[in-house]
């Protein structure tokens, strides 16, 4: 189980290779990559700057992974979240979950992403032709996270 | 003393990301701290207003108005998160 | 939309990079990698040989992707399935789905995997200490696929 | 003539992966073809038996007992699939 917050890009192949070479029980690896889009709320986005709360970020993501481990069979998990200034088509976030079977891998991966969106202390500021603006939290993200609370 | 941290929109509009504060004797919890900070006026009144959609953490754990605040704590105020 | 059946390994980073560089509307990429496990049904597995039905394989997978496109917003999708002889910790199958938002990407990716398991004409033969044996179809896989039929 | 294909366990136990067959006049659909092949005896009787969990495709599309089979078709028999 591993959490990293970093400015540099990540390589999903290298991460998956490391994970499966370490555990021959792994049969299923679900992953998610978030990417900067060139348009948001109708405006073109030139750059996106991510700020976070060092310390709390790593702590809250580790807690989210622990919750996932309590619900599903998780053999290994990795979260990498980038901070700093990114541009459209850049990778922002990577979540990888390895399990014996695919159902657990998919569910735990989506669960971690939904909570990352609603609980981990990251904030995005977009640069558009109208200037810089902080991205508003989405109601749809809160709804996605609430699906798991039952 | 407590450490106060402000992030994202709050950091910009308050003009600071971090300060040390001698905790007033009457401030026992997060709700009271927010009211105290709102009394600084201007941007503070706006950002800390009761109706403002604001989140907070005490010692890096999400907190609510009745979460206790005591000497030595790290308290953070920030807008709803937008990562991922 | 792309389907490949091949003996050689695949590189998920290269595939994701190609996908997101081609479309700046992509915000979410869900993917799945299936891996050969060293134990199945209690026996250790030395090698796994995959056979398929050339022609029908590609056709049925393309049909599955089309079904996914009819249900969710799919900006791009890729399925790579290996055939031939593999060993534990080797990659077997890759599914990547790109969308604007993560809910659609996750759902379409899991849907395609569930159908790959139950409809695409691939067969696995394991070599164990007791000799070679054809893997039996799993009831759990049929159930996973049936979830989508409503 | 039709082309018959056998995969995986069937290919091994029948000892062939492919054959060309002159379609008997009485065989109009997949169910009748299966009964016809079962009459070859031995492994054929076992693999094509009515109770056997067997799948089939006609011209690379999944088919059932009442799917029509006509001259020129490609017909495949195989066990339930186990890919992914």
């Amino acid at each position: 189980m591993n959490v990293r917050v970093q400015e540099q890009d990540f390589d999903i192949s290298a991460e998956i290779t490391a994970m499966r070479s370490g555990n021959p029980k792994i049969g299923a690896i679900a992953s998610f990559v978030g990417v900067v889009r060139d348009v948001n709320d109708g405006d073109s986005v030139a750059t996106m700057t991510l700020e976070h709360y060092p310390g709390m970020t790593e702590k809250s993501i580790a807690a989210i992974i622990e919750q996932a481990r309590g619900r599903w069979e998780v053999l290994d998990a990795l979260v990498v979240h980038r901070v700093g200034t990114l541009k459209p088509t850049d990778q922002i976030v990577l979540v990888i979950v390895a399990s014996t079977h695919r159902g657990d891998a998919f569910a735990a991966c989506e669960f971690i992403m939904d909570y990352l969106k609603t609980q981990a202390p990251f904030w995005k500021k977009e640069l558009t032709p109208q200037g810089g603006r902080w991205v508003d939290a989405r109601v749809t993200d809160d709804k996605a996270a609430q699906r798991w609370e039952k | 003393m407590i450490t106060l941290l402000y992030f994202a929109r709050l950091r910009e509009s308050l003009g600071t990301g971090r300060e040390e504060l001698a905790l007033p004797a009457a401030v026992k919890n997060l709700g009271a701290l927010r009211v105290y900070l709102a009394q600084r006026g201007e941007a503070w009144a706006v950002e800390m207003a009761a109706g403002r959609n604001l989140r907070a953490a005490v010692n890096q754990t999400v907190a609510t108005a009745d979460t206790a605040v005591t000497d030595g704590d790290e308290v953070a105020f920030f807008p709803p998160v937008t990562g991922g």
Side-chain angles (χ1 to χ4, degrees), chain A, chain B:
Chain A
M1 311 297 152
N2 203 352
V3 177
R4 301 202 309 264
V5 179
Q6 61 189 41
E7 294 202 2
Q8 65 266 35
D9 201 5
F10 49 79
D11 178 349
I12 185 173
S13 288
E15 304 295 351
I16 288 179
T17 299
M19 209 176 264
R20 67 194 165 81
S21 69
N23 190 339
K25 307 291 167 238
I26 291 173
I29 301 175
S31 51
F32 181 85
V33 174
V35 179
V36 180
R37 288 183 294 148
D38 66 346
V39 171
N40 193 27
D41 289 338
D43 294 307
S44 70
V45 174
T47 64
M48 162 90 78
T49 302
L50 280 122
E51 176 175 332
H52 79 123
Y53 181 173
M56 182 173 170
T57 313
E58 295 80 355
K59 194 173 151 183
S60 66
I61 296 173
I64 286 164
I65 292 176
E66 277 312 300
Q67 278 189 46
R69 279 160 53 91
R71 288 179 172 231
W72 297 282
E73 187 210 47
V74 174
L75 294 175
D76 205 348
L78 170 71
V79 172
V80 182
H81 204 301
R82 294 177 73 188
V83 291
T85 298
L86 305 174
K87 59 181 194 314
T89 81
D90 279 352
Q91 304 184 121
I92 308 173
V93 62
L94 170 67
V95 177
I96 307 179
V97 174
S99 182
T100 313
H101 298 293
R102 70 188 182 288
D104 284 23
F106 272 116
C109 187
E110 190 166 10
F111 171 86
I112 291 170
M113 264 313 299
D114 283 350
Y115 276 78
L116 269 182
K117 282 272 187 185
T118 54
Q119 297 192 359
F122 290 98
W123 301 274
K124 284 179 187 148
K125 188 175 191 176
E126 296 170 340
L127 184 62
T128 75
Q130 287 75 46
R133 66 179 184 198
W134 291 97
V135 174
D136 272 336
R138 286 177 188 279
V139 175
T140 51
D141 287 331
D142 281 332
K143 280 191 183 149
Q146 281 163 10
R147 281 187 304 154
W148 305 100
E149 286 163 13
K150 50 182 180 188
Chain B
M1 300 292 279
I2 63 170
T3 300
L4 277 165
L5 302 175
Y6 309 101
F7 291 98
R9 189 196 68 230
L10 263 76
R11 180 179 49 72
E12 288 189 344
S13 58
L14 301 178
T16 180
R18 181 190 184 100
E19 63 173 307
E20 307 291 318
L21 178 76
L23 197 62
V27 172
K28 305 291 189 193
N29 61 30
L30 197 59
L33 179 60
R34 183 170 169 175
V35 169
Y36 173 82
L37 293 171
Q39 290 165 355
R40 289 172 166 182
E42 308 263 321
W44 296 88
V46 172
E47 294 294 351
M48 297 290 166
R52 194 79 169 171
N53 193 355
L54 193 64
R55 307 293 165 89
V58 174
N59 298 323
Q60 305 189 355
T61 298
V62 171
T64 54
D66 57 1
T67 300
V69 175
T70 55
D71 210 44
D73 282 350
E74 175 178 299
V75 179
F77 288 99
F78 44 82
V81 304
T82 56

